[in-house]
Amino acid sequence: MKSLCLLLAMMIAIPAGAAVARENYVEPDKNADSREKLADVAANVRKEMQQGGRFQYVNPRERDTVNAKFSEMDALFGRSGSVAQMNDDQKTRLFNAQEVINSILTDRDSDRLICKNEPIMGSHVRSKTCRTYGDEQARNSVSAKDMLDREAVVCKHNGPFCPNVR
């Protein structure tokens, strides 16, 4: 009887979990198989690379690379019109440019989940913690700001760690 109740509970919980997962699902950008669709995708990605966007942590060098690869892809579409009309060499170049963009954006995606198995302070027991890349970056910037603020206070009083004091 217990196993039947457990099985029934699992059968109810699994679809409920899937419904919650679908609720948080964000539809990815559509395939850019024409110049017009590429322009829409590129505009969306550029918007998301701004402060507060999903890809806000893309650094300036990577941003230049993304923009250059979008320009390269646009030029390929300008010559052919669509992927269906491209020859194999053009398709390969398009694919390679797309992969460069995808690798940068995947690495700098604020929503990317990072999980670590770390020991609990004062214990040999390990605990799994998961945070988004955006949370990690925000946490790091707060820590860096705190360090600069503390250094400013120490230097104001000519402390031993002030760079100008010898």
Side-chain angles (χ1 to χ4, degrees):
M1 181 69 176
K2 275 186 175 180
S3 62
L4 181 60
C5 289
L6 182 61
L7 181 62
L8 183 61
M10 287 177 54
M11 289 174 59
I12 292 170
I14 291 172
V20 170
R22 266 188 252 115
E23 181 178 59
N24 297 326
Y25 177 72
V26 177
E27 183 68 30
D29 289 324
K30 295 183 175 22
N31 287 339
D33 57 358
S34 69
R35 193 173 199 179
E36 295 77 27
K37 289 180 183 177
L38 175 67
D40 291 342
V41 170
N44 184 42
V45 167
R46 287 181 179 117
K47 184 182 109 192
E48 292 291 333
M49 285 194 297
Q50 301 303 315
Q51 187 65 29
R54 182 175 174 181
F55 307 116
Q56 69 178 334
Y57 298 109
V58 171
N59 66 45
R61 184 179 52 82
E62 292 169 331
R63 184 172 285 118
D64 291 344
T65 301
V66 167
N67 287 325
K69 293 302 177 182
F70 273 131
S71 295
E72 183 181 325
M73 292 169 72
D74 183 59
L76 288 166
F77 279 118
R79 284 186 226 120
S80 301
S82 70
V83 174
Q85 296 171 341
M86 290 182 185
N87 63 34
D88 285 344
D89 180 55
Q90 291 170 323
K91 287 179 183 178
T92 301
R93 290 179 23 218
L94 181 74
F95 176 80
N96 289 338
Q98 180 181 350
E99 283 300 301
V100 169
I101 293 170
N102 288 345
S103 68
I104 291 170
L105 297 181
T106 299
D107 193 41
R108 301 297 185 203
D109 186 351
S110 292
D111 296 337
R112 180 170 53 96
L113 199 59
I114 301 170
C115 294
K116 298 177 183 175
N117 191 7
E118 301 171 317
I120 298 173
M121 184 74 84
S123 171
H124 293 290
V125 177
R126 299 183 75 79
S127 173
K128 183 177 182 180
T129 57
C130 296
R131 293 185 191 90
T132 65
Y133 180 75
D135 290 342
E136 287 285 320
Q137 291 301 309
R139 192 173 170 178
N140 290 344
S141 72
V142 167
S143 296
K145 184 183 178 318
D146 285 348
M147 291 296 290
L148 290 174
D149 290 347
R150 288 179 187 172
E151 182 180 293
V153 169
V154 169
C155 289
K156 182 177 179 182
H157 302 290
N158 291 325
F161 299 109
C162 186
N164 296 330
V165 176
R166 292 199 161 80

